[in-house]
Amino acid sequence: SLACWQSVCTTKPLNDGPIEYNPATLQVADGLLFLGGRDVSSGPVVFIAKPAVRDSWTSVPITNSTAETVSALATTNDANPYVAVGFNDGRISVWSYDLAVRTNRISAEQATSLLRLLNHIRGELDVSDLSDSDCLWPHERFFSTVSVSSSPLRSQNYVSAPVEEPQCTSLSWIKPSSSGISTLPLLAASFSSGIAVYHVTTGVQNSSAPDVIPPLAQAKFLTYQEKSEIDEVTATTFINFRKPKATLTWYDLGPRSPPCVAMIFEHEQVSFGSDSITVLDRNPVHRLCLCAIDIPWYGSVDISDPETNQDHRAIGVLCQNDVNLAAPTILDSPTTGSIVCYTGENFLTCKPTLASSTSSRVKADGFFSSLSCPVSTSSLGLDSTGVVYFGGVNSVVNSNFRDTVLSVYPLISCNGQGENSESMRIPSQRYWLLMSNSGDSKMGVLPHDQRKEDSPEGGDEVIKTGAVTDILCELTCGENPVSGLVPGRVVTEQGGLRVAVLYSTGFFGGNIGFGGDGSERSRTHTRIPPAPVAYAIIDLDEAVKYRGSTPFTLRHGRDVAFLPPARTDDGFYCSSMVVLDPSGTSLSMTTAITSSTLPEGENEVVVESIGKCSLQYEGVEGRRVFALLNCNKPEILVAGYSELVGLPCLVICKHSIEKDINTNQLTLVEGTDQGHRLWLKAGEEVMALVELPRQNQSTRGHIAVATQQRVMILSMVGSISIIAEVEAFLTCTTLSPIGSHCVAFCASAGSCGGGITRIMYLSCLQDVGHHGIISTLPMPRHGKANSLLAAIRPDRLIYSNSQGGIRHASDDEDDSSFIVPLSKTRPVFLLEPLIANALCQDKWLGVNASKSSDVQTLLRTIIDKFGRKESSFPHGDNEGIGSLGAGVTMKVYDMLLHYGCKQAASLLLTGNLPGDITSQPTILPPWIPMSCKLSAANGADTALQVLSSGDIKLAEYLRNSDREPQSLPKPNDPSSILAKDLAINAVSDDNMCDAAKLLDFAGHQSSDSVLLQLPMSRSSNVEPILQRILAESGSSAQAIKSYAE
């Protein structure tokens, strides 16, 4: 209510007496308001109010503190009702406000018991003791920049900074995000000397004194040398330099990335004269930074070994930019997908990027956009008839993995984590390869997919189940502490038995505490990996056999693309792949050979080709490589960057793939000509590519390509050209084919990557039906994660929105067992995208759809399988739901009418073929406006069926007057008014038979006389008849409009 809102918003009670409060500390959590400040007589206090019961502010004294005031507050209203209180002396204490939540009305007598002390944090004392190896900017000087200048002295124009600046400037609890580490109560804090992250635990309940929490990770701002120079200048000039100040919040880069914080760092840029004493200039500088926390890989740090276990982890800067803003403040924005800053007048949204851009529009960088997307193989789709599509390769093996999707699942492992803070361990990162089955086939590979039932022939039979997921193998490379490899891409062999996992270096890979000469090195150094550097080949049969512990070997390479598998005459199974070298300058061939006749442990041999095919003729640096198999002969497509032009591009290489007649193996033959290419926009990176089904065997299939800015369908006939494109911000790097001219993808509704998630489609139609929405996915209840589109099936879609987890294991538990997230299944209606795809089959992208027999035949097939159905559950395999018109949309009718396919629209509308004389039951979808239905009506008989709203007896009576008479609508009924309007159009078109039927339906008193005059209207002027009908209609135009809408 308004009274409740006014009682909370007023701060008048806080202005009475010796009380001071800091408005910047305002926090809201669990229906409570928090403010930090101080009582002049007693010290730091926290003010609490409960607006739901119209409570005023209650002052809660903070005991056991020597500070003067509260300088920062942070609350979390998730599983733990914690409030972190930062003091001006740089210390922090953590309190529980659960009693305040349970208290109905807060009174002054209860003030001392509303907050319960949990932990102490040393804060500034922890950061100030760090060595120079933990400096965020070890080689950059902020304050004491000496310049020889003849400028006049201006130091008298500047006021010295206040002495009593708070040493704890900002606090932030981690927000629910895509990473499993967000379930831990992590607290980020900024001080005048640096920043730190703390893992807050509850400690021992029966302990007499609260625990002191050590930092999980920390870093400082200034080196010892620069700090000593500042102290020396301060002592010489007696000028108090402003201390550095930082405000921070958590930022989610994705489940595969370490936890990150976004920070605004404020400092003074000071210029001195030639005497190094006189101050010439003092300017405030604000720097926006994205910092990452160094979380170790599982197995790379031995917790029990003091030589490898460090007291804290490092924090490093990933990217930064000096912002020319007046006193910016960073805001918590966990759902926007960007960093939000407030300058007092405007809001500014920022996203990390590797390349600078002059465009004012927010554009996500390709590298950072890929970090937020889950890693998986290509999703499963459909062909043009709506049948499950497994790719255009005729496999030489009987693979059990055709309808499976492989994905990388990051897992945070907390071994020894318990209630006792002494058993706390540093979280470590693990990566697992998961296999998900879409439920299409009777598959016994996954243990959870083996339900059995009695078969008619006797015995047991494995039956189909829903979508299931299980562990395949671990991908963590943590044996070497300096390896720092992260799985960033998974490529599967189409119709085969192998998969390749590509690894990139981590942000902190290679950092160690000391160099080889014993000199201390910076632990905060970070590096952004531009591309993968290694790959591993995994045999799926072997991975299933040795579930969870499959060994693999890392090999150098930036990207790989599988070619069709082959089987030799002597029983060897060969998997050939094109490998892009780590530098992106050449291609080579690698072959993995398997034979069941080899002894155990020697089942696979990998042969790497010595010869390489250079990309210098193409003039590009390769970033991705793809093998195009939906053509008469495999071709190589390279996504690269031209240094000469300064733009990324797609190139069809002239290197050819030939098959050896004797060995039946594929080889790569170098070509020296330049291939066809397509130039992309500046800064675009190819995130996904999928081949669409071929329209027929004589044509070459299209491909769909996704970047961080758009989704495109490309034609590969003659040259590379864009047929269709739409701007989209993908949440995953999977594209699902829906026929030969349509593709589905998962995109975010927000321009910065935030907002709701939608499954969309893009077709090759140039007008109506170009793109649309298939389904809107529900938001997860807790946290946020980009949804992974695993498969699209005729009646359902399969996706997952859990892309990272955490495992708490005590010392006696198996930390390799964890809860696997299950794929979600939702019903889906695909009539609209399949109709759009069918209209493109005329080779002119819908222009001659009404005259193409191929289009009309495919439309009839699609409408029969995915259109209207009479019973509740009628659909079988490879059919859509279609119950009572489900899936029929206005855009479906608009597409069919726009491209001249009115007979197909009439069939979809009524269920009648042109020669049918029997009306169908009431199955017209009620959500389609009447005007849209009438526009699709083919003739008066169809229009009467629409006007009768599915009344079968009335419709048949109007079509055949010999039937039993039925009650007609009243003359003022909207359907009667519409019938008059249609009758006028029929008379104008000289169609007297249809006009008579429609006037009969109208039921006016003058209908009989009008009907008698119509047969004679061929030789007479019909204008008086039309005027008579219009005069009797009255206000029919408005009634028709309201009824049609």
Side-chain angles (χ1 to χ4, degrees):
S1 64
L2 181 61
C4 175
W5 179 250
Q6 291 174 343
S7 67
V8 172
C9 287
T10 179
T11 56
K12 184 177 181 181
L14 302 181
N15 297 325
D16 298 335
I19 295 177
E20 298 177 358
Y21 68 92
N22 185 1
T25 62
L26 178 64
Q27 297 288 312
V28 181
D30 288 317
L32 298 172
L33 298 181
F34 297 84
L35 267 176
R38 70 164 183 161
D39 190 321
V40 177
S41 59
S42 60
V45 296
V46 173
F47 305 101
I48 304 178
K50 180 173 287 190
V53 294
R54 302 185 182 181
D55 272 346
S56 182
W57 295 98
T58 300
S59 176
V60 181
I62 302 298
T63 58
N64 299 327
S65 175
T66 59
E68 296 181 0
T69 184
V70 175
S71 58
L73 281 180
T75 58
T76 174
N77 55 356
D78 299 318
N80 303 310
Y82 296 161
V83 54
V85 182
F87 303 101
N88 64 316
D89 62 357
R91 299 178 185 267
I92 303 172
S93 61
V94 181
W95 304 71
S96 173
Y97 61 86
D98 54 349
L99 183 60
V101 175
R102 297 196 304 266
T103 303
N104 185 25
R105 299 187 66 89
I106 299 176
S107 61
E109 293 77 11
Q110 301 170 316
T112 57
S113 61
L114 291 178
L115 299 180
R116 177 170 56 90
L117 180 61
L118 297 178
N119 304 104
H120 286 300
I121 297 175
R122 298 176 71 240
E124 171 71 18
L125 298 177
D126 292 325
V127 179
S128 60
D129 294 337
L130 294 176
S131 63
D132 285 350
S133 63
D134 286 305
C135 184
L136 286 176
W137 302 280
H139 306 294
E140 189 171 356
R141 299 168 62 89
F142 295 112
F143 286 82
S144 51
T145 54
V146 180
S147 62
V148 179
S149 175
S150 59
S151 301
L153 301 181
R154 294 178 293 169
S155 59
Q156 64 272 13
N157 297 331
Y158 295 89
V159 180
S160 299
V163 179
E164 297 299 330
E165 290 186 351
Q167 297 191 44
C168 179
T169 57
S170 177
L171 296 172
S172 178
W173 291 97
I174 193 169
K175 304 299 187 295
S177 65
S178 60
S179 175
I181 203 171
S182 65
T183 60
L184 296 178
L186 298 183
L187 176 67
S190 62
F191 310 97
S192 58
S193 298
I195 58 177
V197 174
Y198 298 89
H199 181 188
V200 177
T201 56
T202 57
V204 182
Q205 297 296 328
N206 56 3
S207 176
S208 58
D211 294 329
V212 177
I213 301 177
L216 173 65
Q218 55 184 342
K220 68 176 185 178
F221 297 143
L222 306 178
T223 62
Y224 276 121
Q225 180 180 358
E226 187 170 10
K227 188 175 184 303
S228 61
E229 291 178 357
I230 295 173
D231 295 339
E232 181 179 354
V233 173
T234 302
T236 305
T237 61
F238 301 100
I239 296 178
N240 295 318
F241 293 100
R242 188 178 299 275
K243 295 181 180 179
K245 178 183 178 182
T247 57
L248 49 75
T249 185
W250 291 89
Y251 184 82
D252 182 23
L253 265 185
R256 293 178 289 119
S257 302
C260 299
V261 291
M263 176 183 67
I264 290 184
F265 175 65
E266 179 183 353
H267 65 90
E268 275 189 327
Q269 188 73 43
V270 183
S271 299
F272 297 94
S274 58
D275 57 0
S276 301
I277 297 177
T278 305
V279 177
L280 300 180
D281 200 359
R282 299 172 60 176
N283 296 314
V285 179
H286 301 90
R287 174 172 295 181
L288 179 61
C289 310
L290 181 63
C291 304
I293 302 169
D294 182 16
I295 298 297
W297 274 256
Y298 180 83
S300 64
V301 175
D302 187 0
I303 302 298
S304 61
D305 189 354
E307 294 184 0
T308 58
N309 181 24
Q310 300 167 331
D311 56 346
H312 67 272
R313 305 302 299 177
I315 300 178
V317 177
L318 296 181
C319 54
Q320 60 186 13
N321 189 17
D322 291 340
V323 291
N324 187 18
L325 300 174
T329 302
I330 197 165
L331 304 178
D332 287 337
S333 53
T335 60
T336 60
S338 60
I339 304 172
V340 180
C341 301
Y342 178 64
T343 63
E345 298 180 353
N346 302 313
F347 288 94
L348 178 68
T349 59
C350 307
K351 288 187 73 72
T353 179
L354 293 180
S356 60
S357 175
T358 58
S359 175
S360 59
R361 181 178 179 183
V362 176
K363 291 186 178 181
D365 179 79
F367 171 76
F368 288 102
S369 297
S370 64
L371 293 181
S372 62
C373 296
V375 178
S376 73
T377 56
S378 299
S379 59
L380 309 175
L382 308 174
D383 64 8
S384 296
T385 61
V387 178
V388 175
Y389 178 69
F390 294 112
V393 176
N394 296 323
S395 179
V396 297
V397 295
N398 185 16
S399 175
N400 293 324
F401 309 101
R402 291 197 313 164
D403 58 348
T404 60
V405 175
L406 306 178
S407 60
V408 175
Y409 187 73
L411 183 73
I412 296 295
S413 179
C414 292
N415 294 356
Q417 181 69 31
E419 294 295 332
N420 190 349
S421 61
E422 294 181 356
S423 64
M424 185 186 70
R425 298 291 186 268
I426 295 178
S428 58
Q429 183 71 66
R430 305 181 74 172
Y431 299 96
W432 295 87
L433 185 62
L434 303 184
M435 175 181 288
S436 300
N437 178 27
S438 61
D440 290 324
S441 62
K442 302 174 181 179
M443 176 179 171
V445 173
L446 297 178
H448 297 164
D449 198 24
Q450 294 184 355
R451 296 193 308 174
K452 294 178 179 293
E453 66 176 10
D454 294 334
S455 63
E457 292 79 9
D460 293 338
E461 179 186 9
V462 179
I463 65 173
K464 292 192 294 184
T465 64
V468 294
T469 305
D470 205 347
I471 299 173
L472 196 60
C473 64
E474 185 171 8
L475 301 176
T476 310
C477 296
E479 293 79 6
N480 186 354
V482 299
S483 62
L485 295 179
V486 181
R489 197 178 302 152
V490 181
V491 182
T492 186
E493 184 180 30
Q494 192 176 123
L497 303 174
R498 288 190 175 91
V499 66
V501 180
L502 290 107
Y503 286 86
S504 301
T505 57
F507 294 145
F508 294 89
N511 288 0
I512 55 178
F514 295 90
D517 56 355
S519 61
E520 196 171 10
R521 294 181 55 187
S522 173
R523 300 171 55 203
T524 62
H525 174 71
T526 61
R527 56 183 179 182
I528 305 297
V533 296
Y535 69 95
I537 303 174
I538 298 177
D539 189 293
L540 296 179
D541 283 336
E542 294 295 315
V544 172
K545 182 179 180 181
Y546 304 102
R547 188 179 305 276
S549 59
T550 305
F552 55 85
T553 302
L554 291 176
R555 306 178 187 277
H556 291 287
R558 176 176 287 190
D559 198 12
V560 300
F562 279 97
L563 298 174
R567 187 178 293 277
T568 61
D569 297 335
D570 49 359
F572 284 91
Y573 172 69
C574 303
S575 297
S576 300
M577 63 195 77
V578 180
V579 179
L580 179 65
D581 76 326
S583 63
T585 58
S586 62
L587 300 172
S588 61
M589 185 76 75
T590 298
T591 304
I593 304 173
T594 302
S595 176
S596 58
T597 61
L598 294 176
E600 183 72 18
E602 300 181 4
N603 192 33
E604 182 179 82
V605 176
V606 177
V607 179
E608 295 183 348
S609 175
I610 300 177
K612 294 184 177 181
C613 297
S614 176
L615 293 177
Q616 63 176 344
Y617 303 107
E618 304 293 352
V620 297
E621 175 194 344
R623 295 180 177 176
R624 297 286 302 272
V625 60
F626 304 93
L628 303 182
L629 308 179
N630 268 3
C631 46
N632 297 328
K633 184 179 180 181
E635 293 181 335
I636 300 175
L637 177 69
V638 173
Y641 178 81
S642 173
E643 190 70 31
L644 180 62
V645 181
L647 290 175
C649 62
L650 293 173
V651 181
I652 298 181
C653 294
K654 287 299 182 179
H655 306 315
S656 60
I657 299 174
E658 307 292 342
K659 179 179 289 188
D660 191 296
I661 302 177
N662 298 325
T663 62
N664 201 28
Q665 296 184 15
L666 299 176
T667 58
L668 186 62
V669 180
E670 186 173 15
T672 58
D673 297 332
Q674 284 194 350
H676 299 291
R677 66 188 59 204
L678 172 70
W679 296 105
L680 303 177
K681 297 179 181 178
E684 271 191 309
E685 295 285 347
V686 175
M687 300 176 63
L689 184 146
V690 66
E691 292 187 87
L692 302 182
R694 299 172 68 174
Q695 186 174 356
N696 52 64
Q697 295 302 318
S698 61
T699 60
R700 187 173 182 176
H702 299 320
I703 64 173
V705 177
T707 69
Q708 74 272 25
Q709 301 178 17
R710 54 179 172 165
V711 178
M712 301 172 286
I713 297 180
L714 308 181
S715 171
M716 310 299 292
V717 179
S719 61
I720 309 178
S721 60
I722 300 176
I723 304 177
E725 63 176 316
V726 62
E727 289 191 358
F729 298 86
L730 269 65
T731 64
C732 61
T733 57
T734 57
L735 301 172
S736 294
I738 307 183
S740 58
H741 292 76
C742 187
V743 65
F745 54 93
C746 190
S748 170
S751 60
C752 296
I756 60 177
T757 301
R758 302 179 298 192
I759 306 297
M760 304 182 64
Y761 72 88
L762 171 67
S763 74
C764 295
L765 295 177
Q766 302 303 304
D767 201 343
V768 182
H770 177 258
H771 67 276
I773 300 174
I774 297 176
S775 177
T776 300
L777 302 182
M779 296 288 290
R781 294 183 58 186
H782 304 287
K784 72 178 185 71
N786 285 339
S787 298
L788 169 64
L789 177 61
I792 286 186
R793 288 300 178 250
D795 57 349
R796 68 195 187 279
L797 62 87
I798 301 163
Y799 71 99
S800 172
N801 55 14
S802 177
Q803 314 304 337
I806 190 168
R807 173 67 168 113
H808 296 274
S810 59
D811 295 334
D812 56 348
E813 291 182 328
D814 182 12
D815 56 359
S816 295
S817 62
F818 59 94
I819 299 176
V820 177
L822 293 178
S823 300
K824 301 180 183 296
T825 302
R826 289 178 62 84
V828 69
F829 307 104
L830 299 175
L831 179 63
E832 182 179 315
L834 285 171
I835 290 291
N837 174 77
L839 293 172
C840 299
Q841 306 300 316
D842 62 344
K843 300 181 182 180
W844 295 96
L845 305 181
V847 176
N848 295 327
S850 60
K851 303 176 182 178
S852 173
S853 59
D854 294 337
V855 172
Q856 300 303 319
T857 301
L858 185 56
L859 284 176
R860 174 66 186 276
T861 302
I862 296 301
I863 292 175
D864 289 343
K865 296 172 61 175
F866 294 86
R868 45 188 285 159
K869 295 181 174 64
E870 300 178 10
S871 57
S872 300
F873 297 98
H875 67 282
D877 293 339
N878 293 320
E879 287 189 359
I881 299 175
S883 301
L884 302 179
V888 180
T889 63
M890 287 184 59
K891 187 178 287 188
V892 171
Y893 289 117
D894 293 340
M895 283 190 293
L896 294 174
L897 296 176
H898 181 80
Y899 296 101
C901 301
K902 194 167 185 178
Q903 286 191 354
S906 179
L907 172 62
L908 180 64
L909 179 69
T910 64
N912 294 338
L913 294 173
D916 292 344
I917 61 174
T918 304
S919 299
Q920 296 294 326
T922 308
I923 52 176
L924 297 176
W927 53 86
I928 303 298
M930 185 66 70
S931 59
C932 184
K933 297 177 185 179
L934 289 175
S935 63
N938 189 14
D941 292 339
T942 305
L944 289 172
Q945 184 179 350
V946 174
L947 291 172
S948 63
S949 299
D951 189 337
I952 181 173
K953 293 185 178 179
L954 177 59
E956 290 187 356
Y957 166 70
L958 294 172
R959 299 174 67 173
N960 189 351
S961 58
D962 296 336
R963 301 294 180 91
E964 180 181 355
Q966 300 293 321
S967 298
L968 297 175
K970 296 180 180 179
N972 59 351
D973 188 83
S975 60
S976 178
I977 299 174
L978 279 172
K980 283 184 180 181
D981 188 67
L982 293 174
I984 296 173
N985 296 334
V987 172
S988 301
D989 295 337
D990 205 17
N991 193 340
M992 303 308 160
C993 182
D994 287 352
K997 293 180 180 180
L998 292 168
L999 287 173
D1000 186 24
F1001 180 87
H1004 253 251
Q1005 295 179 357
S1006 58
S1007 297
D1008 293 340
S1009 59
V1010 174
L1011 290 174
L1012 291 175
Q1013 297 179 37
L1014 286 177
M1016 299 179 293
S1017 62
R1018 286 183 178 274
S1019 56
S1020 62
N1021 187 11
V1022 300
E1023 186 67 22
I1025 301 177
L1026 297 178
Q1027 293 294 337
R1028 180 179 175 182
I1029 297 175
L1030 291 173
E1032 294 174 353
S1033 300
S1035 59
S1036 61
Q1038 185 64 30
I1040 291 172
K1041 181 179 179 181
S1042 60
Y1043 181 61
E1045 296 178 352

